[in-house]
Amino acid sequence: MSLINPFENALSQLARANDVKPFARDLLTRLSHPHREIRGYIPLTRDDGRLQMVEYYRVQHNNWRGPYKGGIRFHPDTDVNEVKALAFWMTLKCAVADLPMGGGKGGATINPKELSKAELERLSRAWMRALVDVVGPEKDVPAPDVNTTPEIMAWMADEYAQATGDTTGAVITGKPIGVGGSLGRDRATAMGGYYVWEALKDRYGLPRVCDVVIQGFGNAGQHMAALFFHDGHRVIAVSDSTGATMNTQGLDIPALVAHKNATRQVNGFTGGEDLVGSELEVSCDVLVPAALENQITRENASRLKTKMVLELANGPTTPEADDILFGAGVPVVPDILANSGGVTVSTYEWEQNKKGERWSEEEVFAKLKRSMETQAALIFAGSQELKTDLRRGAFVLALERLATHQR
Ligand code: NAD
């Protein structure tokens, strides 16, 4: 567990937004408390017959704008404060993306990499069974997050269908295409972040060819690296939980993906050099945190040598670090805008399932692009008007939209 409580950071962000544009006290008080926190223990029988009790969570933060929506994280360090913070950010994020969705998040405290496939399936199905009465297409719609995959979503959708008879699949998003997943969902978070970056890069005077550093090489980070690479930018350093690789001429991203798939790490890549020291402090034009929260803090913020931070991860920058970067003129494109492409396409998946439709990838990305560009422009203009940072600008937009739905 991180020493910095992410839920306290989230509340501090709320208060800081209120400092630049005051909102009704009741609105802030209501949003400071989730509607419901569910936690318990799943009895997981390991393949060797051993019983392991796994703590699980679902936090339903707010549903004024629509069903609770948010991913499920399987991680050994996940705890209820982390899940609460992530659920809170989902409420704000769905409002920023102007989706008919509220905020929720779930998790289980376990390292899924230590489980066999059969154990992982038993755990995933048990997670859904434990929550079957409180989730549903009109109640709460989970999705993937760190260490959870389309296959896990398919197991959970099937478990829900068996328990309720609802086979639409609309209870959960991020499913494989064959069982009702949306085309484009796998790349949606990175794609959305890229559209936001494209919308903002000229306003912040970034060069035509950028040097990019990416922390985290999972779903979000890998797709983001590929997008920059294919558009001719140089991705000069990439890290994962085992280490980092660097090449100032630009890493060959398809080759790095192949290396990561083969060895499960970025270290040892022949097209780069293993990096000693922090990838966050490598000189670059765009730094993309795409791993976990609390990575950019008051300890390291002043050592960053980037022209922009683009937050694909949730909560990677602490409020103190925000101030240091704002003071240094480094824009931080906040998570609730930069990574909202994931939940936006998740919502498209939910819509398709409910209507029995299937949209083409072109349709999905065209809709996503319009949405991301619209919100990015609104947040940029709002933060300029309030003479504040993009995070406060995004919070203000979300709070205005939530205020009109308060009930
Ligand atoms: P993932 O599990 O696919 O990948 C996480 C990556 O981070 C892995 O490569 C892991 O090795 C790496 N990592 C973990 N600790 C690290 C560390 N200390 N230093 C460097 N790398 C580290 O997860 P993901 O789905 O890509 O999610 C990453 C972040 O993006 C999370 O904050 C998640 O909440 C956020 N996010 C993801 C989506 C999505 O659609 N996948 C949507 C919105 C937000």
Side-chain angles (χ1 to χ4, degrees):
M1 185 180 43
S2 163
L3 291 175
I4 305 172
N5 179 336
F7 190 61
E8 280 170 17
N9 280 351
L11 294 185
S12 154
Q13 291 168 346
L14 188 64
R16 290 154 55 93
N18 190 58
D19 288 344
V20 296
K21 176 153 188 208
F23 287 87
R25 184 189 292 260
D26 282 4
L27 176 73
L28 302 189
T29 306
R30 295 277 303 275
L31 290 171
S32 302
H33 297 83
H35 287 174
R36 180 146 60 154
E37 284 176 38
I38 301 150
R39 59 199 286 193
Y41 289 87
I42 292 169
L44 173 69
T45 306
R46 301 293 297 263
D47 290 345
D48 61 7
R50 218 163 17 99
L51 177 67
Q52 182 176 348
M53 300 304 286
V54 180
E55 191 166 13
Y56 75 93
Y57 318 89
R58 185 73 187 167
V59 174
Q60 298 180 325
H61 178 261
N62 185 284
N63 67 350
W64 295 341
R65 292 176 54 93
Y68 305 104
K69 181 98 194 74
I72 304 165
R73 178 173 291 194
F74 288 172
H75 195 277
D77 295 336
T78 291
D79 67 9
V80 75
N81 283 322
E82 180 182 73
V83 176
K84 253 164 80 173
L86 291 164
F88 168 90
W89 285 319
M90 286 307 297
T91 299
L92 278 285
K93 191 183 303 183
C94 289
V96 158
D98 212 5
L99 301 170
M101 290 290 180
K105 203 81 179 192
T109 308
I110 190 155
N111 184 357
K113 291 175 189 155
E114 289 169 0
L115 300 182
S116 69
K117 190 167 169 186
E119 290 169 336
L120 187 59
E121 178 169 354
R122 286 200 291 281
L123 173 73
S124 305
R125 287 182 178 277
W127 191 96
M128 179 52 90
R129 253 195 329 277
L131 292 159
V132 81
D133 292 334
V134 297
V135 300
E138 305 305 328
K139 288 192 220 168
D140 183 349
V141 185
D145 190 66
V146 174
N147 290 332
T148 53
T149 59
E151 187 175 40
I152 292 175
M153 300 304 113
W155 291 328
M156 290 183 170
D158 180 58
E159 198 64 32
Y160 183 81
Q162 287 185 37
T164 64
D166 176 348
T167 56
T168 60
V171 63
I172 201 160
T173 57
K175 300 180 293 294
I177 304 299
V179 293
S182 176
L183 291 168
R185 174 62 187 91
D186 52 348
R187 282 193 291 149
T189 301
M191 205 66 178
Y194 199 74
Y195 291 143
V196 168
W197 175 77
E198 281 188 317
L200 296 179
K201 65 180 172 29
D202 292 342
R203 302 181 205 226
Y204 289 106
L206 294 186
R208 199 178 51 77
V209 174
C210 283
D211 284 349
V212 182
V213 171
I214 301 187
Q215 181 194 46
F217 206 51
N219 176 299
Q222 280 191 27
H223 286 298
M224 196 58 163
L227 288 168
F228 276 114
F229 175 82
H230 287 299
D231 265 359
H233 300 284
R234 282 183 296 264
V235 180
I236 57 169
V238 162
S239 67
D240 65 10
S241 56
T242 64
T245 182
M246 176 154 177
N247 183 336
T248 51
Q249 301 307 304
L251 294 157
D252 179 338
I253 297 302
L256 182 59
V257 170
H259 169 79
K260 167 92 183 168
N261 288 340
T263 63
R264 304 180 103 192
Q265 57 178 23
V266 295
N267 265 348
F269 178 51
T270 49
E273 280 182 22
D274 288 356
L275 180 68
V276 185
S278 172
E279 73 282 24
L280 298 173
E281 296 171 23
V282 169
S283 174
C284 62
D285 300 303
V286 191
L287 172 64
V288 185
L292 297 171
E293 53 277 3
N294 296 335
Q295 298 302 304
I296 303 174
T297 64
R298 70 170 159 222
E299 273 76 44
N300 63 1
S302 56
R303 296 200 295 272
L304 265 50
K305 296 182 218 64
T306 185
K307 300 193 181 92
M308 174 185 279
V309 176
L310 182 64
E311 293 186 336
L312 277 200
N314 284 306
T317 312
T318 64
E320 297 89 346
D322 265 344
D323 285 347
I324 295 169
L325 291 167
F326 188 58
V330 178
V332 177
V333 187
D335 46 9
I336 59 172
L337 170 65
N339 71 29
S340 65
V343 71
T344 301
V345 175
S346 268
T347 303
Y348 298 165
E349 178 175 334
W350 172 78
E351 255 182 87
Q352 291 171 73
N353 294 156
K354 291 208 310 173
K355 296 179 182 157
E357 293 177 358
R358 179 160 285 280
W359 305 350
S360 69
E361 192 166 270
E362 291 70 35
E363 248 176 295
V364 167
F365 286 144
K367 247 177 109 118
L368 177 67
K369 185 168 192 285
R370 272 197 305 277
S371 173
M372 301 303 297
E373 285 173 355
T374 304
Q375 311 315 335
L378 282 173
I379 289 167
F380 178 78
S383 61
Q384 295 279 306
E385 198 182 310
L386 293 168
K387 299 190 173 33
T388 190
D389 58 14
L390 292 167
R391 191 181 319 278
R392 288 180 178 92
F395 266 64
V396 165
L397 178 68
L399 290 170
E400 284 168 348
R401 288 176 174 166
L402 283 160
T404 62
H405 285 73
Q406 188 174 342
R407 59 187 158 82

